[in-house]
Amino acid sequence: MLDLSTEFKNEMFNDNRDFLPFLDITLVDGTVLNLEKKDVWQNSFKVEDATSSSNTFTIGAAVTGKLSVTLNNIYDKFSEYDFADAEVIAYVGLQLSDSLEKVRVGTYTIDEPSYDGSAISLSCLDGMSKFDKPYSKSTMKYPAKLGVILEDACTYCGVSLVSANFPNKDYVVQNRPTDDAMTFGDIVAMVAQIAGCWAKMDVYGRLKLGWYEMSVFEQNNGLDGGTFSTADTPYSDGDTADGGNFTDYSSGDSADGGTFADQTKFHHIYSTKSFSISTDDVVITGVRVTEEFEETETEKRGTYLAGEDGYVIDVSGNALIQKGQAQAVATYLYNRVGGMRFRPLSVETLANPSIEAGDVAYVTDRKQNTYQCFISNRTFTLGGNESITCDAETPSRNNSTRFSEMTKAIVKARSETKKQISAYDIAVQQLTNLMTQSFGVFKSEEVLEDGSVIYYMHNKPERATSSTIWKMTADAFAVSTDGGETWNAGIDSSGNAVVNVLNAIGINADWINAGTITGRKINNGNGTFSVDENGNCTANSFNSANANITGGRFNVKTDSIEGDSRILLANGNYQNASSCSWMCVTAEGGVEKLIHALISSHGFGNCIIDCTGMYIKGTDGYWTQVTNDGLFTKGSLNVAGEKTRVVSTNNYDFRKLYCYETTSPIFGDVGEGQIDDTGKCMVFIDDVFAETIDTDCQYQVFLQPYGDGTVYVSERTPSYFIVCGTQNMRFSWEIKAIQRGYDTLRLEKLEKEQVKENSDTLGETYCYLETLLYNPESEDF
């Protein structure tokens, strides 16, 4: 259900309402066309979407939505443009009392533009058509969970997934489907079916898995006034409705069968132009599931019925429901859809742009009979009527069984580009679209008794009718997409965040508690590994015959090297280390042994070893790592020779700049200031810098005046120092302080065994020459 303001809802059923079409079309060359009513032929703007096949009750439908529109080209306004493969964002607007409200109804790609001179007809498909690619292109490894399978399909096809946490996402599929004709669209439908959902694109072009919210009908159940067929009092067949009597109206007048006032979760459709309805409700009594695998003489496909005979939903032909899974899937699906009651119908009514396939509704006929249903197919025509259906086979007194193959329900579309982009890139593109194409927000405030204020931002003028609400308090900032009933994402004042899908290039963390960690480049085909709480990696199973460690990380103990480049694996076999571009080395057997083994091996003999990625760890916990960004070490860096930084110059090539050495670990910072009219200037020590030094120790401040006058330091504190002097005098300052935690270090002696011979040739030569210069008698000539 799309969001509309209260005024929009009230105005759209007025006789003089005038829905307005708006189209933002981005051509392949980047040209953007912003079209409105005068550019669109009357009654040509039509939106179609579905969550089920026509005339059938479908679990797992993945139907491509469609937009049809004809442009007015009488004056050749659009003749010069190539509309093929252009992106279209469609809106329906309504002029309100003091504003124009536009409702986004979909994101599409033009599939078939056609020209006939005075008109240009555009047939547009939503993002479901992007899944029309062969599944054989996927490199997904099995066994895999439904959530991972769907994410892989979305990433390959360039679709953002808005329903990452869908039902039954942890269901495990053991074997990869082998049908070469299968598409990613088939996979999406199969995943949706096992999840007990339908799949469709939302108005922003994101894949959504959902189901009909039939629970909203339960709020009006339970009203039973009984019949007149019993004479006893109270009436034994129903007496919960009390409307009083005609003698004393105060004796009872509280009968309440519910209202249709709250339509934020369902529609009430009553202005019908045509009406076709089944004579009976459908009540789903059972779900029958058949496994899908290649049968043999000894192994036949299993079938399991959850529930009982009657109106049974039959699920078969789903390649992800494999041997031994029929009972689990049938039980799950029955718990999800069993007992659903609805009335199959087809209605033509006044156009309502907020209706979407997948919504639920009360439908009232001309005789004031009301039925509950879901909307499985919807066609909205601007300037015309709207057709909706609740699809299912008509039951014969709720005693029929339907059988059908797994519902693919994929509308075939044009071939898409084969370019693959990462999930992060997709998320960035989607966020960019949301930021550049979304409407603004409305602001309101709630003043509490203590005078503090809670701030709200919402997508409709009234907060009560808004679905998207941002709320900011002193403790948290969060967003709700259900009108404030739940807060599904946000961050508190302590930095704890709640999000749905986290897309990032990298994550730095002290710990990660995850049920499953997966990755597109993780190849688990050769075995599985586990890591204990101490960080030790254990190979639970590893097929060394197929092992080829390239670009990954593998922990190696150097005492496993046998004088060549082989790495001892868990099962006693060896892997040739010449194919390892990244190794984690534990220096238990000595690093020299490992380097010697690599150099002397047939894999690395007479060649240069690229140490990028080498990680050397000592038993004391200290480590050194070589990466593309340089050398990193946890521990002390002792250099007996020179320490320089190589800097490029414009006229003098590369030059060395030498490090400034001090007797203790000293950090420094510099800046400028100006004395005020009182003769003072307070300089605050940078908060970040202050956490690296020991400000409790005496730090030093050096000043340089810029002009004729004096400056001096009058006070030093752990957070600031005060400079006094000539009024309005500008000056520079430098602060030097001991590194925090190192205040006791000063010119420590380095033991001789820690320094290899001839390690500082230049320094020793200088000392020797200096001795000869100032003490000639020290040598015999």
PDB file of all heavy atoms in Angstrom, residues 59-73:
ATOM      1  N   ILE A  59       1.770 -19.515  -4.600  1.00  0.00           N
ATOM      2  CA  ILE A  59       2.841 -19.220  -3.642  1.00  0.00           C
ATOM      3  C   ILE A  59       4.145 -19.175  -4.435  1.00  0.00           C
ATOM      4  O   ILE A  59       4.483 -20.103  -5.154  1.00  0.00           O
ATOM      5  CB  ILE A  59       2.939 -20.304  -2.556  1.00  0.00           C
ATOM      6  CG1 ILE A  59       1.607 -20.473  -1.820  1.00  0.00           C
ATOM      7  CG2 ILE A  59       4.045 -19.974  -1.558  1.00  0.00           C
ATOM      8  CD1 ILE A  59       1.611 -21.605  -0.808  1.00  0.00           C
ATOM      9  N   GLY A  60       4.868 -18.094  -4.314  1.00  0.00           N
ATOM     10  CA  GLY A  60       6.156 -17.990  -4.994  1.00  0.00           C
ATOM     11  C   GLY A  60       6.101 -17.325  -6.348  1.00  0.00           C
ATOM     12  O   GLY A  60       6.969 -17.558  -7.182  1.00  0.00           O
ATOM     13  N   ALA A  61       5.105 -16.494  -6.592  1.00  0.00           N
ATOM     14  CA  ALA A  61       5.055 -15.788  -7.873  1.00  0.00           C
ATOM     15  C   ALA A  61       6.131 -14.712  -7.919  1.00  0.00           C
ATOM     16  O   ALA A  61       6.427 -14.065  -6.923  1.00  0.00           O
ATOM     17  CB  ALA A  61       3.682 -15.171  -8.087  1.00  0.00           C
ATOM     18  N   ALA A  62       6.711 -14.521  -9.096  1.00  0.00           N
ATOM     19  CA  ALA A  62       7.690 -13.457  -9.319  1.00  0.00           C
ATOM     20  C   ALA A  62       7.350 -12.828 -10.663  1.00  0.00           C
ATOM     21  O   ALA A  62       7.953 -13.147 -11.684  1.00  0.00           O
ATOM     22  CB  ALA A  62       9.114 -14.010  -9.295  1.00  0.00           C
ATOM     23  N   VAL A  63       6.385 -11.941 -10.666  1.00  0.00           N
ATOM     24  CA  VAL A  63       5.804 -11.409 -11.890  1.00  0.00           C
ATOM     25  C   VAL A  63       6.403 -10.040 -12.186  1.00  0.00           C
ATOM     26  O   VAL A  63       6.532  -9.200 -11.300  1.00  0.00           O
ATOM     27  CB  VAL A  63       4.274 -11.301 -11.777  1.00  0.00           C
ATOM     28  CG1 VAL A  63       3.668 -10.814 -13.082  1.00  0.00           C
ATOM     29  CG2 VAL A  63       3.676 -12.648 -11.381  1.00  0.00           C
ATOM     30  N   THR A  64       6.755  -9.818 -13.426  1.00  0.00           N
ATOM     31  CA  THR A  64       7.304  -8.539 -13.839  1.00  0.00           C
ATOM     32  C   THR A  64       6.191  -7.513 -13.996  1.00  0.00           C
ATOM     33  O   THR A  64       5.228  -7.735 -14.731  1.00  0.00           O
ATOM     34  CB  THR A  64       8.059  -8.685 -15.172  1.00  0.00           C
ATOM     35  OG1 THR A  64       9.116  -9.628 -15.009  1.00  0.00           O
ATOM     36  CG2 THR A  64       8.649  -7.352 -15.607  1.00  0.00           C
ATOM     37  N   GLY A  65       6.322  -6.374 -13.300  1.00  0.00           N
ATOM     38  CA  GLY A  65       5.356  -5.296 -13.429  1.00  0.00           C
ATOM     39  C   GLY A  65       5.558  -4.525 -14.719  1.00  0.00           C
ATOM     40  O   GLY A  65       6.640  -4.535 -15.318  1.00  0.00           O
ATOM     41  N   LYS A  66       4.499  -3.817 -15.164  1.00  0.00           N
ATOM     42  CA  LYS A  66       4.545  -3.158 -16.460  1.00  0.00           C
ATOM     43  C   LYS A  66       3.928  -1.770 -16.379  1.00  0.00           C
ATOM     44  O   LYS A  66       2.939  -1.544 -15.686  1.00  0.00           O
ATOM     45  CB  LYS A  66       3.808  -3.997 -17.503  1.00  0.00           C
ATOM     46  CG  LYS A  66       3.865  -3.449 -18.924  1.00  0.00           C
ATOM     47  CD  LYS A  66       3.151  -4.386 -19.897  1.00  0.00           C
ATOM     48  CE  LYS A  66       3.200  -3.855 -21.328  1.00  0.00           C
ATOM     49  NZ  LYS A  66       2.509  -4.756 -22.281  1.00  0.00           N
ATOM     50  N   LEU A  67       4.535  -0.839 -17.074  1.00  0.00           N
ATOM     51  CA  LEU A  67       3.984   0.503 -17.274  1.00  0.00           C
ATOM     52  C   LEU A  67       3.807   0.724 -18.768  1.00  0.00           C
ATOM     53  O   LEU A  67       4.746   0.522 -19.548  1.00  0.00           O
ATOM     54  CB  LEU A  67       4.923   1.568 -16.700  1.00  0.00           C
ATOM     55  CG  LEU A  67       4.635   3.016 -17.106  1.00  0.00           C
ATOM     56  CD1 LEU A  67       3.352   3.516 -16.449  1.00  0.00           C
ATOM     57  CD2 LEU A  67       5.807   3.932 -16.753  1.00  0.00           C
ATOM     58  N   SER A  68       2.603   1.152 -19.175  1.00  0.00           N
ATOM     59  CA  SER A  68       2.338   1.500 -20.569  1.00  0.00           C
ATOM     60  C   SER A  68       1.938   2.968 -20.616  1.00  0.00           C
ATOM     61  O   SER A  68       1.087   3.405 -19.826  1.00  0.00           O
ATOM     62  CB  SER A  68       1.220   0.632 -21.149  1.00  0.00           C
ATOM     63  OG  SER A  68       1.553  -0.740 -21.072  1.00  0.00           O
ATOM     64  N   VAL A  69       2.520   3.705 -21.531  1.00  0.00           N
ATOM     65  CA  VAL A  69       2.203   5.127 -21.644  1.00  0.00           C
ATOM     66  C   VAL A  69       2.469   5.577 -23.081  1.00  0.00           C
ATOM     67  O   VAL A  69       3.371   5.062 -23.750  1.00  0.00           O
ATOM     68  CB  VAL A  69       3.037   5.956 -20.634  1.00  0.00           C
ATOM     69  CG1 VAL A  69       4.518   5.870 -20.937  1.00  0.00           C
ATOM     70  CG2 VAL A  69       2.574   7.408 -20.590  1.00  0.00           C
ATOM     71  N   THR A  70       1.674   6.530 -23.558  1.00  0.00           N
ATOM     72  CA  THR A  70       1.836   7.075 -24.903  1.00  0.00           C
ATOM     73  C   THR A  70       2.122   8.562 -24.806  1.00  0.00           C
ATOM     74  O   THR A  70       1.382   9.300 -24.127  1.00  0.00           O
ATOM     75  CB  THR A  70       0.581   6.839 -25.750  1.00  0.00           C
ATOM     76  OG1 THR A  70       0.324   5.438 -25.837  1.00  0.00           O
ATOM     77  CG2 THR A  70       0.768   7.392 -27.156  1.00  0.00           C
ATOM     78  N   LEU A  71       3.188   9.003 -25.470  1.00  0.00           N
ATOM     79  CA  LEU A  71       3.594  10.401 -25.433  1.00  0.00           C
ATOM     80  C   LEU A  71       3.003  11.166 -26.608  1.00  0.00           C
ATOM     81  O   LEU A  71       2.896  10.644 -27.727  1.00  0.00           O
ATOM     82  CB  LEU A  71       5.121  10.514 -25.462  1.00  0.00           C
ATOM     83  CG  LEU A  71       5.899   9.724 -24.404  1.00  0.00           C
ATOM     84  CD1 LEU A  71       7.389  10.043 -24.498  1.00  0.00           C
ATOM     85  CD2 LEU A  71       5.380  10.002 -23.006  1.00  0.00           C
ATOM     86  N   ASN A  72       2.665  12.404 -26.344  1.00  0.00           N
ATOM     87  CA  ASN A  72       2.124  13.297 -27.371  1.00  0.00           C
ATOM     88  C   ASN A  72       3.289  13.861 -28.196  1.00  0.00           C
ATOM     89  O   ASN A  72       4.086  14.656 -27.713  1.00  0.00           O
ATOM     90  CB  ASN A  72       1.347  14.428 -26.708  1.00  0.00           C
ATOM     91  CG  ASN A  72       0.750  15.389 -27.720  1.00  0.00           C
ATOM     92  OD1 ASN A  72       0.936  15.251 -28.927  1.00  0.00           O
ATOM     93  ND2 ASN A  72       0.028  16.373 -27.226  1.00  0.00           N
ATOM     94  N   ASN A  73       3.379  13.420 -29.443  1.00  0.00           N
ATOM     95  CA  ASN A  73       4.483  13.843 -30.297  1.00  0.00           C
ATOM     96  C   ASN A  73       3.979  14.560 -31.554  1.00  0.00           C
ATOM     97  O   ASN A  73       4.624  14.536 -32.601  1.00  0.00           O
ATOM     98  CB  ASN A  73       5.334  12.618 -30.685  1.00  0.00           C
ATOM     99  CG  ASN A  73       6.694  13.007 -31.228  1.00  0.00           C
ATOM    100  OD1 ASN A  73       7.352  13.890 -30.690  1.00  0.00           O
ATOM    101  ND2 ASN A  73       7.111  12.350 -32.296  1.00  0.00           N
TER     102      ASN A  73
END
